């Protein structure tokens, strides 16, 4: 049974049982605790938390998921993968344990001919939470299984929570016995033997004081009991397809097969190679799905995860023996298999391929640079007589240059060296712990929403009127400071208030929050920020300007007023963002899609997927197309429709945003020229934007660019300042504005020529001292020594002078030259040793290493020429004296 058939049977089974089929959400999620959707229930989280009312009582989905904590284990087991699909059925206060068990057991055991999966009942074992006697009884009732076929497991296996205060509950898993070849009878910890493939969560408890996954308090029962199940599609696929693991199923193995062709290696021959093949299959698919949902490679967050996946895939192919670009050969295979279900992979392939292939090209250059750095480190280890590359050096290669540790180990072995893996692992562990600490700190943000959920439950959603008016008469529902209710806000204090209705736009969709005031008879507040901590509730951060705000104010009307100038500027900037996005796509093509944006009055920035810098002509074209749209006075309108209707209409959805499938707002400018899903405030006609002035275009990470622009009065102000600069330059240079570029270019060329001539004269003077220095060499035993301080000399100057003086020393005599340059607070040490001196055991490398600490630095190189640097000019004279001493000592030994 292929993967698509398993997926279709799952959805059909639950749709027939009255469930609404919900399409998979994006992998990107607006949640402070998550980088990616990591479970099928995540899109339904607001329903389980009581933040929103679900539009259905029961639902089913096949959700795209990515889990990243175990990236290093991918391929080593049959269980670890980064991207996977989670099949789930959900009940929101509707059916509970018994019906959930019935539905799952029916699908799993129903014959294939009848639409089920046909798993043999004698191979199936339900598991329950050890204290859930009700579940044991229900499993017996529904399945007829004896008591000894039901496994009792502890909290770590069979109790579910989100790790923070909120809903939780016991769960039951369905396990399949794969036979004694995979482990001992009855050993349910042997996950390869008794493989769990479906988890049924009975969400019934309200948890408090959550200290860890297994340490928490149960505050009581939830007012509504819910069902959340998760079934691993890939696990069912490999069990029904008769293969050993998830990497060999129909949607993944073709990538391995192509990798076999490219590398000449064979899957199934050695465990080491098998792991690499599996990494390739998993990471190619995972990377493609992430790029498809709008992630671009970067150095932090989601972008760093994607970069790591892509680079591990490329590195694994390289370790299998294929050194040419691999992703253009492998990713289309995965596209063709996954594109059967996720058609966006086909329609958006040009963008996906451009991002992925550019990252591989960049990594290949990184490998080249890292190899050079590794070679230098290996030479240093060997020259010191050691045989182990330090853990800190391996970590620097990995962390700073993106050089994989496996590659470091491989290359070290080729040179007869080992690597301090323990030291490397220790530094990696420290880095991971810092990351976990940061994640734990962020996790606490989720608990902070409790007070807002309470306000929402008590008073209902805010009557939000930002689209319709700039002023409302409102009442105070809550006064808070530091996330907790307070009786009063005194003059000068900053706190938060919740109103029953508000005209203020809450920051969202890239648009900054409105500014304005809230006043009443006896006081006023300055609005500093407006946010939605939970959906449906608008919260205003305010500073008390006059009077004091007390709970008694809730009995009186307040006047909430948005600053009209602020709102006008915000509308111009947000509509300007849509215009620039449409212009960008017109100039560069439809694959130049927005990946993020921010706008405030008079300013906008727009991030988009693109792998190379825009040319000045392209930037000018984007600006010109934008200005033409303003001059055309295009109508701006919006309407509400379902998400599917919006997609059919050609509306663009921003990657990573979450949209309500029952109703979305589509903003259009000039009809089909610009149609985007957007909840922001906009002008009525494009001419009201005033102007759009592009002020910058730059990279914000591999495969991602950023355009910045000014709109409205701010745009005109920018142009006026540029006009003033041109006028001042015209006056200073006595030239017409049209002649300024040529005049400045001529001045720059003359200045460059002058500086080049001055440099030639300076260098000639520096080298002119070479003969005198050689003639004044000090005789130290059989060696002529020149130890010279060169003030104003850079590292390059000192190197040239040292080599020049060495060449002027008498032929056939041992000679040593050490020049220490001092310039701009930096010290440069260069040692040059001729063949005769080296034959007496004198090494330039050893001399630089000896004197380096005296000038606060270090260095090294070859025996005939070495260089170092430092920061302590006060030690130069002592360092020069040490040169003579070291030469004398080595000459005697030689």
């Amino acid at each position: 049974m292929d993967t698509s058939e398993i997926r279709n049977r799952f959805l059909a089974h639950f749709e027939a049982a009255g469930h609404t089929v919900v399409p998979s959400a994006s992998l990107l999620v607006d949640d402070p605790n998550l980088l990616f959707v990591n479970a099928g229930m995540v899109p339904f989280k607001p329903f389980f938390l009581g933040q929103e009312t679900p539009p259905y009582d029961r639902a089913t989905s096949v959700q795209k998921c990515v889990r990243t904590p175990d990236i290093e284990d991918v391929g080593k087991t049959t269980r670890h993968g980064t991207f996977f699909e989670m099949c789930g059925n959900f009940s929101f206060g509707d059916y509970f344990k018994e019906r959930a068990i019935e539905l799952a057991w029916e699908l799993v055991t129903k014959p294939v001919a009848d639409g089920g999966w046909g798993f043999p009942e004698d191979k199936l074992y339900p598991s329950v939470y050890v204290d859930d006697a009700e579940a044991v009884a229900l499993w017996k009732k529904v399945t007829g299984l004896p008591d000894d076929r039901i496994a009792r497991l502890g909290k770590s296996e069979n109790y579910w929570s989100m790790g923070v205060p909120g809903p939780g509950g016991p769960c039951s898993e369905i396990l399949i016995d794969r036979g004694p070849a995979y482990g001992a009878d009855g050993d349910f910890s042997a996950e390869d033997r008794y493989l769990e493939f479906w988890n049924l969560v009975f969400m019934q408890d309200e948890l408090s004081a959550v200290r860890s996954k297994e340490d928490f308090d149960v505050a009581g029962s939830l007012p509504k009991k819910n069902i959340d199940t998760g079934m691993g599609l890939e696990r069912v696929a490999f069990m029904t397809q008769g293969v050993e693991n998830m990497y060999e199923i129909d949607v993944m193995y073709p990538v391995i097969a192509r990798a076999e062709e490219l590398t000449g290696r064979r899957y199934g021959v050695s465990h080491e190679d098998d792991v690499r093949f599996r990494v390739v299959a998993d990471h190619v698919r995972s990377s493609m799905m992430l790029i498809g949902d709008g992630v671009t490679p970067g150095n932090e967050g989601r972008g760093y995860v994607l970069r790591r996946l892509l680079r591990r895939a490329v590195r694994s192919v390289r370790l299998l023996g294929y050194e040419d670009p691999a992703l253009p050969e492998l990713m289309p295979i995965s596209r063709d298999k996954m594109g059967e279900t996720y058609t966006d992979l086909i329609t958006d392939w040009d963008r996906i391929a451009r991002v992925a292939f550019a990252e591989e090209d960049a990594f290949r250059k990184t490998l080249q640079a890292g190899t050079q750095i590794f070679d230098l480190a290996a030479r240093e280890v060997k020259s010191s007589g050691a045989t182990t590359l330090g853990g800190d050096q391996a970590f620097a290669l990995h962390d700073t240059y993106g050089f994989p540790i496996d590659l470091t180990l491989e290359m070290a072995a080729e040179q007869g060296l080992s690597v301090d893996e323990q030291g490397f692992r220790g530094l990696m562990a420290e880095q991971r712990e810092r990351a976990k600490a940061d994640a734990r700190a962020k996790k606490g943000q989720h608990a902070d929403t409790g007070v807002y959920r309470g306000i929402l439950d008590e008073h209902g959603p805010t009557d939000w009127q930002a689209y319709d008016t700039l002023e409302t008469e409102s009442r105070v529902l809550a006064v808070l400071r530091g996330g907790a209710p307070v009786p009063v806000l005194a003059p000068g204090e900053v706190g938060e208030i919740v109103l029953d209705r508000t005209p203020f736009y809450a920051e969202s969709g890239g648009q900054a929050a409105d500014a304005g005031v809230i006043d009443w008879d006896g006081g006023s507040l300055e609005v500093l920020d407006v946010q939605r901590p939970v959906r449906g509730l608008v919260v205003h951060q305010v500073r008390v300007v006059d009077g004091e705000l007390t709970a008694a104010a809730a009995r009186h009307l307040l006047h909430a007023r948005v600053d009209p100038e602020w709102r006008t500027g915000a509308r111009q900037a947000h509509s300007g963002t849509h215009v620039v996005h449409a212009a960008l796509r017109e100039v560069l093509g439809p694959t130049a899609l927005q990946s993020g944006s921010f706008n405030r009055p008079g300013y906008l920035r727009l991030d988009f997927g693109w792998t190379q810098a825009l040319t000045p002509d392209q930037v000018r074209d984007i600006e010109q197309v934008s200005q033409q749209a303003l001059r055309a006075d295009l109508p701006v309108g919006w309407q509400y429709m379902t998400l599917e209707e919006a997609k059919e209409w050609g509306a663009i959805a921003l990657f990573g945003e979450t949209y309500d499938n029952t109703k979305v707002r589509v903003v259009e400018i000039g009809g089909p020229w610009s149609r985007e899903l957007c909840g922001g405030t906009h002008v009525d006609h494009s001419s009201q934007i005033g102007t759009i002035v592009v002020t910058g275009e730059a990279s914000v990470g591999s495969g991602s660019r950023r355009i910045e622009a000014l709109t409205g009065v701010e745009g005109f102000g920018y142009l006026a300042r540029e006009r003033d600069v041109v006028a001042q330059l015209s006056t200073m240079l006595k030239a017409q504005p049209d002649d300024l570029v040529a005049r400045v270019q001529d001045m720059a060329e003359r200045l460059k020529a002058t500086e080049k001539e001055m440099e030639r004269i300076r260098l000639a003077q520096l080298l002119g001292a070479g003969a005198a220095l050689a003639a004044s060499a000090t005789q130290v035993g059989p060696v002529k020594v020149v130890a010279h301080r060169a003030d104003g000399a850079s590292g390059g100057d000192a190197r040239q002078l040292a080599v020049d003086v060495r060449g002027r020393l008498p032929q056939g005599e041992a000679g040593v030259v050490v020049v220490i340059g001092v310039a701009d607070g930096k010290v440069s040490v260069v040692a040059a040793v001729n063949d005769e001196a080296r034959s007496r055991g004198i090494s330039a490398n050893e001399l630089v290493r000896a004197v380096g600490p005296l000038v606060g630095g270090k260095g090294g190189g070859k025996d005939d020429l070495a260089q170092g640097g430092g920061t302590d000019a006060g030690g130069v004279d002592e360092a020069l004296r040490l040169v003579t001493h070291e030469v004398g000592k080595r000459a005697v030994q030689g």
Side-chain angles (χ1 to χ4, degrees), residues 745-762:
Q745 186 175 8
D746 178 64
M747 292 175 63
E749 289 175 352
R750 282 188 286 157
L751 178 61
K752 184 178 180 180
T754 301
E755 290 176 341
K756 187 175 181 180
E757 178 61 19
M758 291 177 63
E759 175 64 15
R760 186 191 66 77
I761 294 171
R762 188 191 66 80

Side-chain angles (χ1 to χ4, degrees), residues 5-18:
E5 180 66 17
I6 297 168
R7 182 190 297 109
N8 292 338
R9 289 185 179 220
F10 182 91
L11 294 175
H13 174 74
F14 283 100
E15 186 175 23

Side-chain angles (χ1 to χ4, degrees), residues 16-204:
H19 293 66
T20 299
V21 176
V22 180
S24 174
S26 166
L27 284 166
L28 313 187
V29 57
D30 184 16
D31 189 313
N33 305 312
L34 298 173
L35 281 177
F36 307 109
V37 170
N38 65 352
M41 63 80 64
V42 170
F44 303 100
K45 199 171 173 181
F47 304 153
F48 290 127
L49 291 173
Q51 297 171 347
E52 297 179 36
T53 301
Y56 28 67
D57 292 330
R58 50 179 72 178
T60 185
S61 69
V62 179
Q63 173 62 44
K64 298 180 290 186
C65 301
V66 166
R67 291 182 183 171
T68 59
D70 300 321
I71 286 179
E72 296 290 345
D73 292 323
V74 168
K76 297 177 182 177
T77 75
T78 61
R79 299 181 304 278
H80 292 98
T82 45
F83 174 85
F84 60 97
E85 295 179 80
M86 183 74 80
C87 303
N89 58 288
F90 309 92
S91 166
F92 309 105
D94 188 17
Y95 63 82
F96 199 47
K97 290 183 184 180
E98 183 170 2
R99 186 59 177 149
I101 292 171
E102 289 173 348
L103 289 168
W105 191 255
E106 179 185 353
L107 176 61
V108 170
T109 60
K110 188 164 52 177
V112 172
D114 296 334
W117 293 336
F119 284 4
E121 292 189 21
D122 62 346
K123 298 293 185 183
L124 298 177
Y125 287 74
S127 72
V128 299
Y129 177 49
V130 65
D131 294 332
D132 192 0
E134 179 187 15
V136 174
L138 289 172
W139 276 108
K140 290 180 179 179
K141 174 184 175 183
V142 171
T143 68
L145 293 174
D147 191 76
D148 61 1
R149 286 283 300 281
I150 300 173
R152 278 79 162 173
L153 302 176
K155 283 184 179 178
S156 62
E157 295 89 1
N158 275 48
Y159 194 96
W160 177 88
S161 80
M162 289 187 290
V164 294
C171 53
S172 283
E173 296 174 336
I174 302 179
L175 318 174
I176 188 166
D177 182 3
R178 302 178 70 199
Y182 295 93
D185 290 348
D187 182 6
F188 292 101
S189 64
E191 294 185 26
D192 282 340
R193 167 80 188 257
Y194 297 95
L195 185 70
E196 175 264 317
F197 63 92
W198 200 340
N199 187 18
L200 284 61
V201 176
F202 308 133
M203 207 177 295
Q204 63 188 43

